Amino acid sequence: MIDLRSDTVTKPTPEMRRAMAEAEVGDDVYGEDPTVRRLEELAAAKLERAAALFVPTGSMGNQIAVHLWTRPGSEVILEARGHIFNFEMGSMAALSGALPRPIVTADGLLRPEQVEAAINPKVSYRTPTRLLCLENTHNLWSGLPMPRELKDQLVEVAHRHGLKVHLDGARLFNAAIALQTPAAELARGCDSVMFCLSKGLAAPVGSMLVGDEEFITEARRVRKLFGGGMRQVGVLAAAGIVALTTMVDRLAEDHRRARRLAEGLAELPGVALDPHRVQTNIVVFRLSRPAPSPDVPPNTWFIGAMREQGVLCGGFGREEVRMVTHYHITDEDVEHALQAARQVLAG
Ligand code: TLP
């Protein structure tokens, strides 16, 4: 099977497995795991921040930040197709009592004036707006990277109105490679940043939450509150260190393959896709033709037919299909997937 469902399916590299087997460990709830500490120092240094915290998942990292930057009954501004709003189980409401204020955009990029207009006035009879969440790269917008200049403008507006800014940088290093801008620059000004080790960087588990000392001290407390205090977790952190030190530069290969995939798909009948929008490792496109049976959503039909050809893809809504390139996807796999799509759409 050629698995294009997500870069989350990546398995640890041989070097990671070795590092995991040999990792020095201790009880991380007591702050005694030397490998976790090394990973946290490395992550903080990469983003030029004071401190970092190893968390089990990207979702937990995001939700710890939401919890710390909001109060029950306050609002969070985010892009309407963002992960925090769509794929985190309503946890902002369930865990923090916060209310999302989603903003619909035409291209996945929030504009400063849209954010400014969505901030409630500071009067006693309006819900306080406390947080702006950004996503770089933007998953559902075909992995769109957010340029540093736009991020700077958004941070400026948010801070001017007293909001905090959290960056969901699950794929921040993909953005850094695509924009040829250091990850630290893409994150600068954001009050907290989450990035994942377990996606394109191929570590089996784990994400990092990064910020200043005070934030990370509080984040450690909330991680325990959410049930994420882990013990001899250096075995996982060891893979994270290998991920951060050896797997970033090769992301360019995933981006090249995703672009090739997008260009091939865009030529097929029934595919609505602008390949120029694909700048990182995610290809999202709309199927503009109905399924053979009217009861089946077009993407469910397409995904099922692709599976029969040995290719796994993901779907959103009724019409959107997602294909993600990663460490295990070769040039031949891309050509095979294109051939499969050609057959499915011709038939
Ligand atoms: N994304 C997953 C699914 O949940 C959709 C994927 O396959 O892409 N932020 C962003 C932008 C993400 O894409 C994801 C995972 C997360 C946060 C959450 O990370 P995890 O899965 O570690 O909780």
Side-chain angles (χ1 to χ4, degrees):
M1 280 288 181
I2 296 170
D3 197 344
L4 297 169
R5 285 172 302 169
S6 183
D7 46 10
T8 59
V9 302
T10 43
K11 294 178 183 162
T13 64
E15 192 182 343
M16 286 179 195
R17 288 180 189 271
R18 266 196 306 278
M20 292 170 80
E22 290 163 10
E24 221 189 312
V25 296
D27 190 324
D28 184 50
V29 172
Y30 295 144
E32 290 173 3
D33 189 304
T35 311
V36 172
R37 283 193 181 182
R38 255 197 317 131
L39 172 62
E40 290 176 344
E41 278 163 21
L42 179 64
K46 283 256 177 220
L47 293 196
E48 299 173 14
R49 295 302 174 95
L53 182 71
F54 187 48
V55 289
T57 65
S59 301
M60 188 185 284
N62 283 338
Q63 293 306 323
I64 289 171
V66 168
H67 193 77
L68 285 170
W69 296 136
T70 60
R71 295 222 192 113
S74 58
E75 282 189 15
V76 178
I77 296 174
L78 27 65
E79 205 277 333
R81 281 164 65 92
H83 192 276
I84 292 179
F85 182 48
N86 291 281
F87 296 103
E88 296 187 14
M89 317 296 293
S91 46
M92 130 174 354
L95 303 177
S96 304
L99 182 70
R101 169 73 68 175
I103 298 181
V104 175
T105 63
D107 56 6
L109 296 172
L110 288 167
R111 300 297 191 283
E113 52 280 10
Q114 287 180 300
V115 170
E116 193 150 30
I119 298 172
N120 289 329
K122 282 199 182 71
V123 288
S124 59
Y125 49 89
R126 293 297 302 274
T127 314
T129 312
R130 288 188 175 266
L131 178 64
L132 167 67
C133 290
L134 305 178
E135 186 173 317
N136 197 7
T137 64
H138 197 313
N139 188 342
L140 245 63
W141 282 100
S142 254
L144 185 72
M146 177 185 281
R148 186 192 51 196
E149 297 74 17
L150 177 60
K151 178 267 300 172
D152 287 343
Q153 292 169 13
L154 293 167
V155 167
E156 190 279 320
V157 168
H159 284 170
R160 181 152 43 83
H161 288 271
L163 275 62
K164 296 291 185 187
V165 181
H166 172 68
L167 175 60
D168 175 350
R171 298 182 180 83
L172 185 62
F173 290 95
N174 293 83
I177 293 288
L179 298 170
Q180 297 186 3
T181 307
E185 289 290 320
L186 297 177
R188 197 164 329 279
C190 299
D191 299 281
S192 53
V193 185
M194 184 284 290
F195 70 83
C196 293
L197 301 163
S198 62
K199 302 205 161 52
L201 303 184
V205 178
S207 296
M208 305 306 301
L209 189 56
V210 186
D212 66 19
E213 291 281 4
E214 194 187 338
F215 172 78
I216 293 299
T217 301
E218 281 298 290
R220 203 173 287 282
R221 181 180 62 74
V222 177
R223 183 183 65 176
K224 193 73 171 70
L225 174 75
F226 287 175
M230 299 174 286
R231 303 294 179 173
Q232 286 71 30
V233 71
V235 287
L236 297 179
I241 292 170
V242 177
L244 260 186
T245 48
T246 70
M247 299 296 281
V248 171
D249 290 343
R250 64 152 306 285
L251 293 173
E253 287 178 39
D254 299 343
H255 299 178
R256 179 177 58 72
R257 293 191 178 108
R259 176 59 81 91
R260 162 73 192 131
L261 190 57
E263 281 166 357
L265 286 164
E267 288 171 3
L268 303 182
V271 171
L273 168 66
D274 175 2
H276 298 292
R277 293 191 62 83
V278 176
Q279 296 174 45
T280 62
N281 68 325
I282 302 180
V283 184
V284 176
F285 61 92
R286 211 167 50 74
L287 281 168
S288 58
R289 56 169 277 179
S293 152
D295 304 335
V296 180
N299 60 1
T300 307
W301 160 73
F302 179 82
I303 291 164
M306 287 293 278
R307 178 184 276 270
E308 280 172 26
Q309 304 279 331
V311 182
L312 301 178
C313 350
F316 299 117
R318 292 175 57 83
E319 294 178 346
E320 284 179 292
V321 176
R322 185 179 76 154
M323 298 186 186
V324 184
T325 55
H326 52 76
Y327 180 56
H328 304 300
I329 298 298
T330 63
D331 289 334
E332 294 72 47
D333 292 337
V334 168
E335 296 311 318
H336 182 106
L338 282 174
Q339 185 54 30
R342 227 169 266 133
Q343 271 182 28
V344 166
L345 290 167

